[in-house]
Amino acid sequence: MLQAGPPRQHQGHRPARRGQASAFRTLLSSEAAGGLVLMAAAVLALVVANSALAPSYFGALKAYLGPLSVLHWINDGLMALFFLLVGLEIKRELLDGQLRTWSDRALPGLAALGGMLVPALIYVAFNWSEPATLRGWAIPAATDIAFALGVLALLGSRVPVSLKVLLTAIAILDDLGAVAIIALFYTADISVPALAGTAAVFAFLIGLNRAGVVALAPYLVAGAILWVLVLFSGVHATIAGVLLAATIPLTPTPGRPEGAACPLIRLEHALQPWSAFLIVPVFGFANAGVSFSGMSPAALLAPVPLGIALGLFVGKQLGVFAFAWGAIRFNLADLPAHATWAQFYGVALLCGIGFTMSLFIGLLAFPASEALQDGVKLGVLAGSVASALAGAALLRLARPGR
């Protein structure tokens, strides 16, 4: 077996501008606090779904408000704002943040790649002979940044900041992969007129960006029109949020504190609390509820929940750690500063928390089958809880690095 030898300690990224550093600290703190709220929302959903309130809970989600049900408004409407925030975070980190150079991207990029490939392969192995369920191969490939950072928040200073930054970077690149998967593999029948309208509005948004427009109002109005067109195009409506994010200007203005004049950071800061404390918890409450009535423990051994649970718990830790170890072993990246290999493995375990994005992809994979959706929820909950408990235990027991 190849020996890695003493790992080189990462000396840290180049000094960042104050606005950029502040934005990243805000992201870490808001996502961590939001993760704790998300945990509470998920637990509440399970309690309600298995209580006398269950008929009211499920009935309210199926009730229609205008053209869409309450559940669709949450999953297609509110989550478009979540994806807008995800897109803003990805753009900022790739162009002006912790992922702005190829050397910065090497470790989280390879770790994210391994963390998507291995879980998907494990799921496929359990569902290879079931064409109806094979469509869910991408469900265990996602990491929930809010939930994972919420667990880290409970551990306090036991985890070095460099690992919190790494986990965030992995999750951001993971989200980028999930967005691509949703756009490419979970698209319904295409409406050419709506798609043409989408392209026209997107071109208009690019024109605003190129013209140097920094007011957010024109982008948001055009973004609302874009959402309607994408909703009817056959591509999932949440992709509109990512497209809008790609056009929001990231133009720093000298002499203005904390990036106050940058439209992207202004919008990101405005959306973060709403996403962390309302949008994602509401999504979790609406989608995590699964009734255990009449369900035996053997239900977890069905191909869908078992493939998801093992994909998240086993596949994520193996994929993230193995690919990251290879990157460090072959001098493509460095071990994060003040971190040990045991702590790094604990973070790899936390990457198996796939709650929000995994549930979201599961709904897209099996839109017409409540039984398969319940299997998805069961597998996601089992894999995520196991990953959270194991990762937290290892990080609590691991010796701190120097």
Side-chain angles (χ1 to χ4, degrees):
M1 181 176 178
L2 292 173
Q3 298 297 320
R8 293 184 296 150
Q9 292 292 327
H10 185 60
Q11 298 303 314
H13 297 287
R14 294 179 301 278
R17 285 192 294 273
R18 175 176 291 183
Q20 169 199 312
S22 174
F24 203 78
R25 285 196 300 270
T26 301
L27 169 63
L28 286 174
S29 60
S30 65
E31 293 283 7
L36 300 178
V37 177
L38 175 59
M39 294 179 200
V43 171
L44 181 61
L46 289 172
V47 171
V48 171
N50 291 278
S51 71
L53 296 173
S56 299
Y57 168 76
F58 291 110
L61 292 174
K62 293 177 181 178
Y64 271 76
L65 292 175
L68 300 175
S69 68
V70 171
L71 186 60
H72 277 121
W73 277 116
I74 294 171
N75 293 344
D76 291 18
L78 281 182
M79 286 301 283
L81 295 175
F82 168 76
F83 274 78
L84 171 58
L85 179 60
V86 167
L88 294 172
E89 291 172 352
I90 291 171
K91 179 175 180 178
R92 175 173 54 77
E93 293 305 325
L94 288 176
L95 297 183
D96 196 41
Q98 303 294 325
L99 301 171
R100 64 187 178 277
T101 69
W102 286 108
S103 59
D104 294 333
R105 299 167 190 164
L107 185 59
L110 289 170
L113 178 62
M116 297 184 77
L117 286 177
V118 178
L121 290 174
I122 288 177
Y123 180 91
V124 168
F126 281 95
N127 290 270
W128 183 255
S129 60
E130 301 287 340
T133 62
L134 196 58
R135 180 175 166 80
W137 62 271
I139 296 171
T143 294
D144 190 303
I145 182 174
F147 216 132
L149 286 175
V151 174
L152 286 183
L154 295 175
L155 295 169
S157 60
R158 292 175 182 271
V159 182
V161 173
S162 62
L163 283 182
K164 296 177 182 178
V165 171
L166 176 65
L167 177 60
T168 305
I170 291 173
I172 286 173
L173 292 174
D174 204 304
D175 285 343
L176 180 60
V179 168
I181 287 171
I182 291 170
L184 293 174
F185 298 100
Y186 296 107
T187 295
D189 295 333
I190 294 295
S191 167
V192 176
L195 201 60
T198 298
V201 175
F202 186 55
F204 172 75
L205 285 164
I206 293 175
L208 289 178
N209 182 293
R210 295 288 178 87
V213 176
V214 295
L216 284 172
Y219 292 96
L220 298 180
V221 171
I225 298 171
L226 184 71
W227 178 82
V228 173
L229 290 168
V230 175
L231 179 67
F232 291 103
S233 72
V235 179
H236 197 269
T238 51
I239 298 300
V242 181
L243 294 176
L244 175 59
T247 66
I248 302 296
L250 180 60
T251 308
T253 301
R256 297 296 297 272
E258 303 293 334
C262 175
L264 186 145
I265 292 180
R266 291 206 316 269
L267 183 57
E268 186 180 9
H269 283 185
L271 282 173
Q272 275 173 353
W274 291 99
S275 175
F277 300 111
L278 179 65
I279 295 172
V280 172
V282 166
F283 172 84
F285 179 74
N287 290 281
V290 55
S291 174
F292 299 125
S293 177
M295 187 181 296
S296 68
L300 188 57
L301 301 179
V304 168
L306 187 60
I308 293 171
L310 292 181
L312 287 172
F313 181 61
V314 177
K316 274 290 184 180
Q317 59 175 293
L318 292 181
V320 169
F321 190 80
F323 276 60
W325 181 89
I328 295 170
R329 168 66 180 82
F330 293 105
N331 297 319
L332 298 175
D334 303 316
L335 189 68
H338 311 298
T340 66
W341 280 110
Q343 290 176 317
F344 192 100
Y345 199 86
V347 167
L349 277 163
L350 292 185
C351 287
I353 303 174
F355 192 78
T356 304
M357 198 67 82
S358 292
L359 287 177
F360 189 80
I361 294 175
L363 294 173
L364 298 181
F366 309 120
S369 174
E370 290 190 9
L372 288 179
Q373 288 179 12
D374 284 345
V376 168
K377 295 175 184 178
L378 193 60
V380 169
L381 289 170
S384 297
V385 169
S387 297
L389 293 177
L394 180 54
L395 287 168
R396 181 171 288 276
L397 295 172
R399 285 187 174 186
R402 293 183 180 180

